Each structure stands twice: as C-alpha cells, then as structure tokens.
Amino acid sequence: MDSLAALPPPSERRLALRVTPEAQRALRQGHPWLFDRAIVSQSAAGQPGDLAVIFDERRRFVAIGLYDPASPIRVRVLQQGAPAAIDAAFFAGRLAAAVARRAALAGQETSGYRLVHGEGDGLSGLVIDRYDRVLVLKLYSTAWLPHLHQLLAGLAQVAPAEAVVLRLSRTVQRQPAALHGLADGATLAGTLTANPVIFRENGLRFEADVLHGQKTGFFLDQRENRARVEGLAAGREMLNVFAYTGGFSLYAARGGAPAVVSLDSSAPALAAAGRNFELNRHWPGVAAARHDLLVEDAFAGLARLAKAGRRFDLAVVDPPAFAKQQSEIPAALHSYRRLAALALGVLRPGGVLVMASCSSRVSAEEFFAAVDRGAARARRRLHQLARTGHPVDHPIGLAEGAYLKCLVAVAEE
Ligand code: SAH
C-alpha cells in the first residue's frame, strides 16, 4: 500500500494531438488505439500517463486517452465522441458497467472470472481478474500508473476486495523508471493473506498463484470450453495437452472420464494440477478418475505416446500463443497443423478432439484450416461439433482482440 505513495499524481498537463484522417476515422468508429505513426503534430513531449486529447483539423474533440511514450500504441483511448473528465468517477463508471456485464456469471459456483477485459470494457491496456476475494490488476502499459489511485478508488466502490495485487506485463516490467518502485506482485490495497488463492469455477475448486502464475494465475477464458468438455467426457479416457494447472482435466474427471492424463512442460503447473484434484475429491467423478501427470514437451510427448500405442477417446490441445508477431504466423500455422496430426495419432476412432488457439495474429479461418490440414496429414476425417469464441467476461473491444477460437470435433475412422 505504501508502495502506491511513491506514485506521482496524474499530471495537470493535457497534450493536444493532431492525427491523420485515417486515424481520425478509426477513432470515431471506436478503435481504442492511436498508433505513434498516425500522429501529425503534438503540443509537447509527453510523459507516461499524460492525458492526450486528439482534435480534428477544425479543432473539434475526437478522443481522449492515456499517453505512452514507449509504445507504438501511443495513446490508449478511454473516450471518444464527447469530452469527459478522466477521474475517479469516470473509472468508477467504467468499472460499474464491467461488473454489470458479468452479473449473470458471478456467484456461489463461479468466483473466478475476468472483471475487466481491457479494450472490451473501455479500459485499454488494463485487465482485472477476480479470484474469490482477491483482485489481480494487470497492466499492459505504464500509462496507467499515475491513474492507479483514482482507479483503485473506483474499484473499492464497485468491487470491494480483500486484496488487490498488481501484475505487470513483460513490456511494462522492462521500464523500471516509469514504475516508481512498484514491482510485479506488489499489493496495491488490502492484505493478501494466502497465496495461492482458492476460487471456484462452475463449482470446481482451483488454486491460482496470483503472484507467479501465468497470465494472472489461471486461464479464465477457457471456462465455457471446459464446461463443454465435461459434457463430452463420460466414459472417455482423456488426454489434456498443455494442461497447465489441470483446468480441462478436472472438468473431464467430474464429467465421468475414468482416466485423465495431464501433459505440460511445466512441473510446477502440473504439481498444482495434482493439488487441484485433491481439492475436488468430494466430486464422485474426480475421486473415481485416475489422474496421471506427464512433464514433457507436447510435440515429443504426443509422438512418444503414439509410438507406445497409447490411445484416448478425448484429447484437449490448448497451446500457448504461437504467433506474437506477424512474422511468426507461418511457423504458428505449421505448429497447429503438426499438433492436430499428432493428437489425432493418439485418438481412437470416434474420439473427440478439442483444439484451441489463443494467437491473436492467427485468424479463426487460418486456424481451422490448419487443423483440417493436420487431419488430412493424419488421414482422419473430422466431423465438427462446434466452433467457439469468446466468453461473456472477455468481450471483444477491437477486431485484433478476437484471439480465442476453439474447435470441437469427432475424429472418425
Ligand atoms: N489449457 C490450460 C491453459 C494452457 S496455457 C488451461 O485450461 O488452464 C499453455 C500451457 O502450455 C502452459 O501451461 C505452458 O507451461 C505449456 N507449454 C508451453 N510450451 C509447451 C510445450 N512445448 N510442451 C508442453 N507444454 C508447453
């Protein structure tokens, strides 16, 4: 908490920006990013978090947002169309709308979900995840730092919590001068009494390591796909590739899979998967399922299992983002194709393949086509059951933000 005291207050200065006609059009249509290359003129050099006001050539207001001198996304737009004061009340309003959007989700059975999904909730570059009574606030831009006091004031009003923990993207961690002593894992409000934090998702209990876990501790975006897997799992031996802490594995077990194998290259993640099974033994399916852990590279592991003659009736393949930039797309598509072929190599006829991609650079069409090519390579026919996208707590704020896609298909003979 005193770590916050060192943060400077928001600057009184307003930067005035003129931008290209194309950028004006995009902003007016609600695009939340202004790129550095679209700036035509600027009234002064800006500091991280300065409020930047974008005008058109007739000096009319276009948009206002947070200035980030270190990023090609130079302004994170907060409001377009009509001017607005960016203060605690503004943030409280945006946060209240985000909370309302998730009203149907939050409750006894699900106490872990995304409360704020950046651009999708009108708060570009900011993510807030709830894990029961703990909030994890993740920043993707240093521009948020001077506004944290006001943001936290708004948050305390609309989503009171025992503790608010700060997580920083890698890009933000590389800019220590802009952090004023704040570090990844700092407690911004309240007290974190225990880590990992236990929360519920559809009645299953999971731990989230909010200080060191990937993302903010759990992959909350897969909740609906996991529920789908539960419905498909009865009587099926399941292989969960890229299992992390066993999210899909637990749902399969509760759904009646007699045996579950969780495979991941991270030993600590799989250790957590084992603990998550222990946390849920009161569910008969979980108590009855055999659970095996494989700490292994996914590609090598799948090839090894195939060679050893291991076969499954349900395979979930949920890899990390393979393409973080444009130049990596071909290699990513190649990896998706290989993974699909490898997974089909361990699926019995009639087995179900669930395969997801979280690479925002890879379009849904390209991804599904890559999986189809993998199936052709493996000489298997896929009968599609469903294609899914974003859950309600991960609203899409801009086309580039539609990162999640998932295929559910039966692998025929
Ligand atoms: N399906 C998970 C989320 C997967 S995140 C869930 O529902 O929670 C991606 C996972 O892939 C991470 O746990 C990471 O440790 C693992 N991983 C990354 N590269 C890998 C590789 N080459 N082989 C196996 N696992 C890998």
Side-chain angles (χ1 to χ4, degrees):
M1 277 159 290
D2 34 25
S3 48
L4 261 187
L7 283 179
S11 162
E12 293 294 317
R13 176 177 45 192
R14 299 282 176 275
L15 300 172
L17 269 54
R18 299 274 299 276
V19 303
T20 62
E22 301 82 65
Q24 262 181 53
R25 210 169 308 126
L27 294 172
R28 287 210 162 99
Q29 283 167 7
H31 200 289
W33 296 345
L34 174 70
F35 288 98
D36 53 351
R37 59 172 188 268
I39 298 174
V40 174
S41 70
Q42 180 171 329
S43 59
Q47 296 296 317
D50 281 354
L51 287 170
V53 187
I54 299 150
F55 296 98
D56 67 12
E57 51 290 320
R58 290 162 60 188
R59 308 196 118 269
R60 288 177 308 193
F61 174 91
V62 177
I64 184 167
L66 306 180
Y67 190 81
D68 183 346
S71 172
I73 305 174
R74 192 53 50 90
V75 179
R76 300 274 183 173
V77 174
L78 293 175
Q79 164 89 8
Q80 59 90 23
I86 306 301
D87 53 16
F90 174 87
F91 292 128
R94 286 284 157 93
L95 293 167
V99 169
R101 226 166 260 144
R102 283 127 179 114
L105 189 65
Q108 273 288 315
E109 297 308 301
T110 298
S111 66
Y113 54 90
R114 179 151 294 189
L115 197 65
V116 170
H117 185 56
E119 289 75 6
D121 287 298
L123 295 166
S124 176
L126 172 76
V127 156
I128 304 177
D129 285 343
R130 172 184 285 288
Y131 296 106
D132 204 60
R133 283 176 298 229
V134 174
L135 298 179
V136 183
L137 189 155
K138 185 155 182 179
L139 300 184
Y140 291 84
S141 165
T142 57
W144 277 100
L145 287 156
H147 304 275
L148 273 185
H149 283 288
Q150 294 185 336
L151 183 75
L152 288 166
L155 197 58
Q157 279 175 34
V158 305
E162 229 167 67
V164 182
V165 174
L166 176 71
R167 296 296 302 273
L168 304 170
S169 75
R170 253 175 245 151
T171 314
V172 171
Q173 287 184 47
R174 280 196 293 263
Q175 302 172 62
L179 295 176
H180 304 280
L182 275 183
D184 189 55
T187 302
L188 296 178
T191 310
L192 183 66
T193 51
N195 184 53
V197 178
I198 310 290
F199 68 96
R200 279 171 200 268
E201 189 186 85
N202 289 318
L204 285 166
R205 300 174 75 205
F206 290 100
E207 58 173 58
D209 180 343
V210 298
L211 296 177
H212 315 101
Q214 299 184 37
K215 293 248 197 154
T216 61
F218 199 71
F219 290 84
L220 296 164
D221 52 0
Q222 289 287 17
R223 182 184 53 252
E224 291 175 5
N225 291 328
R226 287 194 275 258
R228 216 174 256 276
V229 161
E230 175 170 13
L232 291 164
R236 293 181 187 269
E237 285 186 53
M238 189 255 200
L239 172 65
N240 185 8
V241 190
F242 304 99
Y244 191 51
T245 55
F248 281 101
S249 303
L250 262 304
Y251 279 78
R254 187 172 67 172
V260 172
V261 175
S262 297
L263 186 156
D264 199 283
S265 57
S266 162
L270 286 183
R275 291 193 296 274
N276 284 334
F277 266 76
E278 291 309 311
L279 281 176
N280 288 283
R281 296 193 75 80
H282 54 288
W283 293 104
V286 176
R290 181 198 159 102
H291 185 216
D292 290 311
L293 305 173
L294 293 179
V295 183
E296 213 170 352
D297 171 72
F299 295 86
L302 282 167
R304 186 186 59 75
L305 289 167
K307 211 164 160 203
R310 284 295 304 271
R311 295 296 179 265
F312 300 86
D313 313 292
L314 172 60
V316 173
V317 183
D318 178 27
F322 285 144
K324 297 232 163 90
Q325 53 200 44
Q326 198 75 17
S327 61
E328 294 169 346
I329 292 176
L333 292 173
H334 180 73
S335 296
Y336 288 130
R337 191 182 70 203
R338 266 184 70 210
L339 274 177
L342 285 166
L344 289 167
V346 297
L347 262 190
R348 295 192 178 102
V352 176
L353 173 68
V354 178
M355 190 156 167
S357 162
C358 61
S359 303
S360 56
R361 303 258 173 194
V362 173
S363 73
E365 291 68 34
E366 288 173 311
F367 171 65
F368 295 130
V371 175
D372 280 341
R373 280 200 299 278
R377 174 75 50 97
R379 298 181 195 289
R380 297 289 290 274
R381 229 190 9 222
L382 289 179
H383 172 73
Q384 182 183 309
L385 298 179
R387 285 179 180 190
T388 67
H390 277 228
V392 62
D393 55 336
H394 290 63
I396 299 168
L398 68 171
E400 301 91 309
Y403 66 94
L404 190 65
K405 48 263 173 203
C406 181
L407 172 74
V408 184
V410 175
E412 295 169 351
E413 289 296 311

